[in-house]
Amino acid sequence: MNTLAAPNTFAGGGLDRHSETRRDASWVAAQWARPGARVLTMRGGDPAMDGGRLALAPVNLAPLPESEAPGPAPGGQNGMPLFLGFDATGPVFAVEARENGPGAFADLRSVAGALTPAEASMAATARALFGWHARHGFCPSCGASTSVTDAGWKRSCPSCGADHFPRTDPVVIMLALHGERCLLGRNASWPEGRYSALAGFLEPGESVEDACARELKEESGLTAMRVRYHSSQPWPLSPLGGQLMIGLFAEVGDDRAQADGTELSDVRWLTRKDASAALAGTHPEVTAPPAMAIAHQLIRAWLEE
Amino acid sequence: MNTLAAPNTFAGGGLDRHSETRRDASWVAAQWARPGARVLTMRGGDPAMDGGRLALAPVNLAPLPESEAPGPAPGGQNGMPLFLGFDATGPVFAVEARENGPGAFADLRSVAGALTPAEASMAATARALFGWHARHGFCPSCGASTSVTDAGWKRSCPSCGADHFPRTDPVVIMLALHGERCLLGRNASWPEGRYSALAGFLEPGESVEDACARELKEESGLTAMRVRYHSSQPWPLSPLGGQLMIGLFAEVGDDRAQADGTELSDVRWLTRKDASAALAGTHPEVTAPPAMAIAHQLIRAWLEE
């Protein structure tokens, strides 16, 4: 699965982000002032909705950005509108609503699967960026309060001069394969019967393949013999911050898998028939991850191989 | 190229990092005290060397960790030894030398290609971690000074309680392909004649494929029709911090490439013959990236397809 038309939720939105041009504040201001400019309001990481679609309000109906309120809020996003990019219609910005502000907001996890790729991409980007701002108000190099620049895509430290860019953590997520079976695992904290692909954060000094082999060994005791990339997915829903899910198949040398007892409370080999039933929701014991999760797409792709 | 035996420098070191167990300070102390424990000294990101090999000194000959000096150094790595993991021989730690401390250190970029995969992995991991500590002494959430925990793999904030983990930035690097030619570009700041694959940071809300398409469009005007993953590489040499290089092939719809004039000053299509000469160092105008760069491996893999 190596095309641009990935089935992964949040991927393939096709926004034109103007990553270079958005550094120019006067260009950004001109986009904000365009008649067709629209704005997405987010609250606590969830998007404003209108009739099942993302509510993209004309900028002239949008609440005034808080940057017009006196003084920047130290450590916050400063209320500056975030430039998301151009969709097929024109420029789109995002702003954050106050915690108890009015509006109809929907849990992004619940609605993402029903959004268009462009909508899902906008909401994912806004959630990842606002979450990063909320956790990165201070300069990690010197401890001073930083301020937002580059239309929401950078924080600058007025004290030591350091620039800080949004953080995205790479995560490897792998479907271990042995013969005609795939391995799923479950965390004790998950709802009963829920199983998914094994996963973990990539660490400094590791390639994708290294991280896959390490996580597989740590969590299940299995040795990866061959790692194949399948696809990737931006994942804005973790409370730890924005992640890049890197979806892999890992062929392993034997089937002696054992849950580590810390990350995983159980691991389980599924035949193609079992996996198919789990995806369809008809397996008596195993619930597969939902279609919006890349783990679901990995299982589906393996079944279709 | 999807095996674990990647030719990419810094990848495939095979260290057993004990990512779970290293959180236990008494376990880590027991490894430090083992007769076979060794320590790598780094200075400014460069490893201590001994006769062309990484100098892995017995712990009992290593300088005392600075953590035994009175009080932690705010904002620094606190001198606590970093647990790298087990190689085939036993546990390996890394410590940082004082700026003008004694010892024979080698520029990591210059020597990495001659190290074994395990040695390169140790040096890359130590450089990425120490660099992260140097830039992350303060809590980005509240501005307080943080301290090192988990054998060097975490910083904790005594003020707000936030935990911070080492940062690795995903970077997409792509060889654009059209018919029997590949595209290389050059930055005006590079040595004359040096060309490489196009590359850029992945942004929040993007998949690998999205980021590849955006960077290609921004830097060269080309439209990616199909993106194929090749391999990945941990890259500790950027002054911006540890990166994960994600190497890709991008088939494009036409050959009307144009350098953006900001990131790139020139782009150039190379036939297989040209590319082969560039790799061999015999092209009259184009110098290819060195073998330690994933761009080199992408070109080589394309030639061998």
Side-chain angles (χ1 to χ4, degrees):
Chain A
M1 225 297 305
N2 296 304
T3 74
L4 289 171
N8 297 329
T9 300
F10 302 122
L15 289 185
D16 185 350
R17 295 168 171 237
H18 290 267
S19 304
E20 297 293 329
T21 330
R22 74 187 178 212
R23 297 178 194 166
D24 176 351
S26 62
W27 180 87
V28 174
Q31 307 315 309
W32 177 261
R34 277 167 74 136
R38 286 150 304 144
V39 64
L40 168 65
T41 304
M42 303 283 291
R43 193 175 70 188
D46 291 326
M49 298 288 287
D50 182 6
R53 301 256 63 84
L54 221 55
L56 295 175
V59 159
N60 59 7
L61 293 183
L64 274 182
E66 285 178 26
S67 56
E68 305 201 1
Q77 203 263 330
N78 297 15
M80 176 195 273
L82 165 69
F83 176 70
L84 290 176
F86 279 64
D87 69 358
T89 306
V92 182
F93 291 81
V95 295
E96 277 195 292
R98 285 182 193 80
E99 209 165 307
N100 298 309
F105 298 89
D107 174 49
L108 180 56
R109 187 183 293 266
S110 305
V111 299
L115 298 175
T116 67
E119 288 177 322
S121 173
M122 290 177 207
T125 303
R127 180 173 176 132
L129 265 289
F130 290 149
W132 176 73
H133 283 296
R135 285 184 303 275
H136 290 78
F138 296 86
C139 177
S141 292
C142 79
S145 179
T146 56
S147 57
V148 182
T149 52
D150 287 16
W153 288 87
K154 192 168 95 177
R155 299 192 72 97
S156 298
C157 179
S159 178
C160 75
D163 287 333
H164 302 287
F165 295 91
R167 170 170 175 156
T168 299
D169 288 313
V171 172
V172 289
I173 178 164
M174 76 269 342
L175 196 62
L177 304 176
H178 188 256
E180 291 296 300
R181 292 179 299 165
C182 74
L183 186 82
L184 299 183
R186 66 173 263 103
N187 186 298
S189 71
W190 292 352
E192 197 185 332
R194 165 62 60 83
Y195 282 76
S196 189
L198 277 52
F201 286 101
L202 178 137
E203 295 185 347
E206 286 184 324
S207 69
V208 166
E209 293 75 13
D210 292 338
C212 175
R214 176 180 55 75
E215 287 288 346
L216 202 50
K217 175 65 84 177
E218 283 174 5
E219 296 189 355
S220 73
L222 293 171
T223 300
M225 309 299 285
R226 183 160 178 264
V227 176
R228 277 184 293 143
Y229 174 87
H230 175 263
S231 63
S232 65
Q233 178 183 39
W235 190 252
L237 300 180
S238 165
L240 300 173
Q243 299 173 351
L244 171 70
M245 306 300 289
I246 303 175
L248 307 163
F249 294 117
E251 286 161 34
V252 295
D254 64 63
D255 64 356
R256 295 191 292 276
Q258 190 160 13
D260 64 3
T262 54
E263 290 284 318
L264 298 180
S265 58
D266 188 29
V267 291
R268 182 167 179 147
W269 288 104
L270 269 66
T271 63
R272 288 179 187 270
K273 195 177 153 196
D274 282 338
S276 199
L279 284 191
T282 59
H283 195 286
E285 294 162 12
V286 175
T287 309
M292 72 180 297
I294 192 171
H296 182 106
Q297 302 302 332
L298 287 171
I299 300 168
R300 182 170 298 284
W302 171 66
L303 287 173
E304 290 170 357
E305 260 181 6
Chain B
M1 225 299 305
N2 298 302
T3 73
L4 289 171
N8 296 328
T9 301
F10 302 123
L15 289 186
D16 185 349
R17 295 168 170 237
H18 290 266
S19 304
E20 297 294 329
T21 329
R22 73 187 177 210
R23 296 177 194 167
D24 175 351
S26 62
W27 181 86
V28 174
Q31 307 316 307
W32 177 261
R34 276 167 74 134
R38 287 149 305 146
V39 63
L40 168 65
T41 304
M42 302 283 292
R43 194 175 70 188
D46 292 325
M49 298 287 288
D50 182 5
R53 301 255 64 84
L54 221 54
L56 295 176
V59 159
N60 59 7
L61 292 182
L64 274 182
E66 285 177 25
S67 56
E68 305 201 359
Q77 204 261 329
N78 297 14
M80 175 194 274
L82 166 68
F83 176 69
L84 290 176
F86 279 63
D87 69 359
T89 307
V92 183
F93 291 81
V95 294
E96 277 194 293
R98 286 183 191 79
E99 209 165 308
N100 298 310
F105 297 90
D107 174 49
L108 181 56
R109 186 182 294 267
S110 305
V111 299
L115 298 176
T116 67
E119 288 177 322
S121 174
M122 290 177 206
T125 303
R127 180 174 176 132
L129 264 290
F130 288 148
W132 176 73
H133 283 295
R135 284 184 303 274
H136 291 77
F138 297 86
C139 177
S141 292
C142 79
S145 180
T146 56
S147 58
V148 183
T149 52
D150 286 14
W153 287 87
K154 191 168 96 175
R155 299 191 74 96
S156 299
C157 178
S159 179
C160 74
D163 287 332
H164 303 287
F165 295 90
R167 171 171 173 154
T168 299
D169 289 313
V171 171
V172 289
I173 178 163
M174 77 266 346
L175 196 63
L177 303 176
H178 188 257
E180 292 296 300
R181 292 178 300 165
C182 74
L183 187 81
L184 299 183
R186 66 174 263 102
N187 186 297
S189 71
W190 293 352
E192 198 184 331
R194 164 62 59 86
Y195 282 76
S196 189
L198 278 52
F201 287 101
L202 179 136
E203 294 185 347
E206 286 184 324
S207 68
V208 165
E209 294 74 12
D210 293 337
C212 174
R214 176 180 54 75
E215 287 288 344
L216 202 50
K217 175 65 85 178
E218 283 175 5
E219 295 189 357
S220 73
L222 293 171
T223 300
M225 311 298 285
R226 182 158 179 265
V227 176
R228 275 186 294 143
Y229 174 88
H230 175 264
S231 62
S232 65
Q233 179 184 39
W235 190 251
L237 300 180
S238 165
L240 299 173
Q243 300 173 351
L244 171 69
M245 307 300 290
I246 303 174
L248 307 162
F249 294 117
E251 286 160 33
V252 296
D254 64 63
D255 65 355
R256 294 192 291 278
Q258 190 161 12
D260 64 1
T262 52
E263 290 284 319
L264 299 181
S265 58
D266 188 29
V267 290
R268 182 167 179 148
W269 288 104
L270 268 67
T271 62
R272 288 179 186 270
K273 195 179 151 194
D274 281 339
S276 198
L279 284 191
T282 58
H283 195 286
E285 293 162 12
V286 175
T287 310
M292 72 181 295
I294 193 172
H296 182 106
Q297 302 301 333
L298 287 171
I299 300 169
R300 181 170 300 283
W302 170 66
L303 287 173
E304 289 170 359
E305 263 182 6

